[in-house]
Amino acid sequence: MISLEVQNIRIFMSKLLMKSDFDRFFLVEASVSAFCNFEISGRTNAAWFAPASADSAASASKGVPVISPYVSWEKIRPHVFQVIRGGRTPLRMKIILACTPAQIAAILKSSPECASLSPDTVSGMFLNIAFDKNGLVLTTGTAMKTFTMDRSAEKAFDKTMSSFLGEIGINFNTSTQLE
């Protein structure tokens, strides 16, 4: 887990809220404190996708698409942007993004230290975004399905996120290396 202090907050917010740089992530949750408090759960509401017909068992067997556990940031981004746009900066904002299963597999595959790890052993890889009057801090987190002393997946994710942020032009200070 690493904690990164973003130096160019305007550029980061532009990429997060108005551009597609983070669209490939899932949204776990978001909260914005502006003229009122907004809370968004990124959990997909499977009941909304359920077939409307009485014969739902028959329609379920006809190839109903698999539903992701979370909504993509791409789908939620315009709504969050709508909440914070205007002349005043929000008092605080917290957004938790998660990697998709395909992203987790790619991160593990790209790291030689993770060669023995299966993507099925990782519960999630998360990017926590916290903004308030003190600035903008990004914190990475990796959750494993079982206890392990092996931190190679966590280190691979930290390295991937640092590289990703650099590639999209986000300057940051590594304020803390949490071990």
Side-chain angles (χ1 to χ4, degrees):
M1 177 184 333
I2 55 174
S3 178
L4 309 170
E5 185 179 349
V6 174
Q7 299 302 302
N8 45 358
I9 295 173
R10 282 191 187 277
I11 292 171
F12 179 87
M13 288 299 190
S14 171
K15 291 182 177 292
L16 178 68
L17 298 167
M18 299 187 312
K19 300 205 165 65
S20 63
D21 296 271
F22 292 88
D23 284 356
R24 62 188 175 136
F25 292 93
F26 285 144
L27 172 72
V28 176
E29 67 181 50
S31 63
V32 178
S33 181
F35 64 93
C36 69
N37 294 323
F38 295 89
E39 304 282 333
I40 300 171
S41 168
R43 281 230 176 256
T44 302
N45 186 356
W48 190 82
F49 293 97
S53 71
D55 191 23
S56 57
S59 22
S61 65
K62 292 182 182 178
V64 174
V66 175
I67 301 168
S68 299
Y70 297 102
V71 168
S72 70
W73 175 246
E74 178 181 23
K75 288 187 174 141
I76 296 294
R77 178 171 44 90
H79 302 287
V80 175
F81 179 65
Q82 203 56 32
V83 166
I84 68 162
R85 79 185 282 184
R88 297 190 62 181
T89 304
L91 297 173
R92 74 194 135 267
M93 182 169 67
K94 179 182 172 187
I95 297 172
I96 302 173
L97 300 177
C99 290
T100 65
Q103 289 170 311
I104 292 171
I107 290 167
L108 296 179
K109 186 177 180 181
S110 71
S111 175
E113 296 83 22
C114 297
S116 65
L117 286 176
S118 164
D120 295 337
T121 62
V122 179
S123 288
M125 293 179 166
F126 306 94
L127 178 64
N128 300 292
I129 303 164
F131 169 79
D132 63 15
K133 66 180 178 179
N134 297 316
L136 177 64
V137 176
L138 309 176
T139 308
T140 61
T142 301
M144 304 299 286
K145 289 184 180 172
T146 60
F147 177 77
T148 180
M149 294 296 287
D150 180 2
R151 297 189 42 212
S152 58
E154 179 180 331
K155 289 179 181 181
F157 179 55
D158 293 347
K159 183 179 175 183
T160 299
M161 285 310 304
S162 293
S163 295
F164 166 70
L165 293 168
E167 287 169 14
I168 64 170
I170 303 301
N171 299 326
F172 57 86
N173 290 332
T174 305
S175 55
T176 313
Q177 178 85 27
L178 305 171
E179 302 252 354

